[in-house]
Amino acid sequence: MKIAILPGDGIGPEIVAQAVKVLNVLGESFELETAPVGGAGYAAHGHPLPEATLALAKAADAVLFGAVGDYQYDNLERSLRPEQAILGLRKQLGLFANLRPAILYPELAGASTLKPEVVSGLDILIIRELTGDIYFGQPRGVRECPDGPFKGQREGFDTMRYAEGEIRRIAHVAFQAAQKRDKRLTSVDKANVLETFQFWKDIVIDVHKEYPDVALEHMYVDNAAMQLVRAPKKFDVIVTGNMFGDILSDAAAMLTGSIGMLPSASLDANNKGLYEPSHGSAPDIAGKGIANPLATILSAAMMLRFSLNKPEQADRIENAVKAVLAQGLRTADIYEAGTTKVGTEEMGNAVVKALV
Ligand code: NAD
């Protein structure tokens, strides 16, 4: 199995190196090939997503991505900015399903802004549709307002839309993910106001017929936002559209209070995926050896589970991460008095050592 390793910019190379170290000691015969992306792609080949990097990502069974973005590229024209690489990869690889687990290890309960009893042991999975909805719907733009009290003025407008097939494929991903967990799925919509989301709900109900072992509930997005901060542990898997998912997944990520701990996966129709930490390239701490590599290491675990069909290896990595936290090892972002502060490399080495 071939894995494309795209470290990117900022802390990307430092954290990806730790995940690669972990992959290399699992005893599997993965073929790892590295290529530049983002600012590093621009520096090497004049484009954030060089042709050879895209070809590698297409040919591989999975992609492990660090992060892209650096202040030095902020003045480039938009199409050449590092961040275009991740958008290009999502589009070119057809990555329509974004999976973001929000897990709060009991040892880190103090890092959340919510009370420990509300979030300790939190383990939810948000599945966001990534390539449709109002973010991509046409037409869009600024035009002359055709009617109503503001007739004749300029108005901005976008189009919310979902094709049946788009809803069906994300619903299948969600039901199948729920089957691997606690078998509970919450579909988040705004069916009371939006035609698009009444249609969404109807299709999700239809797809549910194929997954009778999964308990399905529907929730309006405003209520979901409230429940996420009131009683987040009641959720198991949440599935929703692009815009609602954008907002809810960031809220859920922050429940854990530790951006350095959160992995993510973006999958295509065949479970090929791109795996990356939920955080960015953190240029403020790049090169200092203090970045938390655990989100990237946990992204590698997701890659083993969802794309490479090695769930037992994913469990090994996740258990090793739990073990190093139980040992009291912490990078600066999750450090608390009474624990042991370690750097990026030490944390990676500790995970390797804790693999059993
Ligand atoms: P960021 O996530 O990079 O950083 C936000 C804060 O969190 C910073 O203080 C940073 O030091 C800290 N942080 C992030 N990851 C950390 C880790 N692993 N360990 C310890 N601390 C960590 O977000 P930002 O500052 O808004 O963006 C920086 C750059 O990253 C920008 O160029 C942005 O466009 C880019 N970005 C890229 C991606 C991606 O590659 N998918 C995602 C988000 C942002």
Side-chain angles (χ1 to χ4, degrees):
M1 278 175 288
K2 186 165 182 156
I3 305 172
I5 306 285
L6 311 184
D9 309 318
I11 59 170
E14 303 165 47
I15 53 179
V16 166
Q18 306 313 311
V20 166
K21 211 152 60 182
V22 171
L23 287 171
N24 279 335
V25 296
L26 292 177
E28 300 281 346
S29 53
F30 298 134
E31 187 193 329
L32 309 186
E33 194 176 330
T34 303
V37 74
Y42 178 79
H45 301 287
H47 195 277
L49 183 54
E51 263 173 46
T53 301
L54 179 59
L56 171 66
K58 282 185 172 168
D61 297 291
V63 179
L64 185 65
F65 188 92
V68 290
D70 196 305
Y71 309 132
Q72 63 175 303
Y73 303 107
D74 279 356
N75 293 326
L76 287 175
E77 67 170 88
R78 188 165 293 277
S79 66
L80 294 177
R81 298 232 192 113
E83 291 79 5
Q84 293 302 315
I86 187 71
L87 300 176
L89 279 166
R90 281 178 188 161
K91 195 168 166 205
Q92 295 282 339
L93 300 181
L95 305 173
F96 68 87
N98 185 225
L99 278 59
R100 278 179 47 175
I103 294 174
L104 183 54
Y105 298 95
E107 294 86 356
L108 301 182
S112 176
T113 50
L114 295 190
K115 293 185 191 124
E117 63 268 29
V118 176
V119 285
S120 180
L122 178 80
D123 181 358
I124 62 179
L125 174 63
I126 298 208
I127 300 185
R128 166 189 173 196
E129 200 290 329
L130 204 55
T131 53
D133 203 352
I134 195 164
Y135 289 1
F136 292 91
Q138 294 289 345
R140 58 199 291 155
V142 176
R143 64 184 174 193
E144 186 177 305
C145 183
D147 49 28
F150 301 101
K151 189 172 179 207
Q153 291 186 9
R154 290 193 308 148
E155 71 171 7
F157 70 104
D158 296 275
T159 303
M160 178 176 272
R161 52 157 298 283
Y162 263 121
E164 180 172 344
E166 274 180 300
I167 303 171
R168 282 193 185 278
R169 63 183 187 178
I170 192 77
H172 280 293
V173 170
F175 281 113
Q176 284 165 22
Q179 279 182 323
K180 291 184 192 145
R181 296 173 44 103
D182 198 32
K183 299 187 171 56
R184 291 181 295 117
L185 178 64
T186 305
S187 171
V188 171
D189 62 53
K190 190 74 184 169
N192 49 343
V193 179
L194 298 169
E195 300 298 331
T196 308
F197 274 92
Q198 180 59 55
F199 184 60
W200 168 285
K201 185 173 177 178
D202 294 344
I203 301 298
V204 171
I205 289 171
D206 195 48
V207 176
H208 184 211
K209 291 176 192 152
E210 295 177 50
Y211 302 92
D213 54 330
V214 176
L216 171 67
E217 68 166 345
H218 306 276
M219 195 178 282
Y220 296 140
V221 63
D222 39 353
N223 186 23
M226 198 166 74
Q227 299 304 329
L228 261 182
V229 289
R230 196 182 74 88
K233 285 194 273 188
K234 285 195 177 159
F235 292 106
D236 178 23
V237 180
I238 293 175
V239 65
T240 189
N242 203 345
M243 180 165 65
F244 299 156
D246 188 3
I247 300 162
L248 292 182
S249 61
D250 269 23
M254 274 301 104
L255 294 175
T256 70
S258 50
I259 198 163
M261 296 294 304
L262 298 170
S264 80
S266 302
L267 305 180
D268 77 358
N270 303 310
N271 284 339
K272 173 173 169 169
L274 181 145
Y275 298 82
E276 59 173 331
S278 293
H279 58 74
S281 57
D284 54 331
I285 57 167
K288 296 187 179 159
I290 60 171
N292 186 347
L294 293 179
T296 315
I297 291 172
L298 291 167
S299 298
M302 286 188 86
M303 176 172 78
L304 290 157
R305 176 165 290 118
F306 289 101
S307 286
L308 303 180
N309 204 20
K310 298 272 178 196
E312 64 295 337
Q313 297 286 23
D315 288 345
R316 279 180 77 196
I317 296 177
E318 287 164 1
N319 288 334
V321 169
K322 284 181 198 154
V324 297
L325 293 174
Q327 288 161 23
L329 303 185
R330 304 282 189 272
T331 42
D333 56 309
I334 51 174
Y335 175 76
E336 285 177 88
T339 60
T340 310
K341 198 184 278 186
V342 295
T344 310
E345 186 133 5
E346 277 172 280
M347 188 57 113
N349 292 344
V351 174
V352 166
K353 210 168 147 203
L355 284 170
V356 284

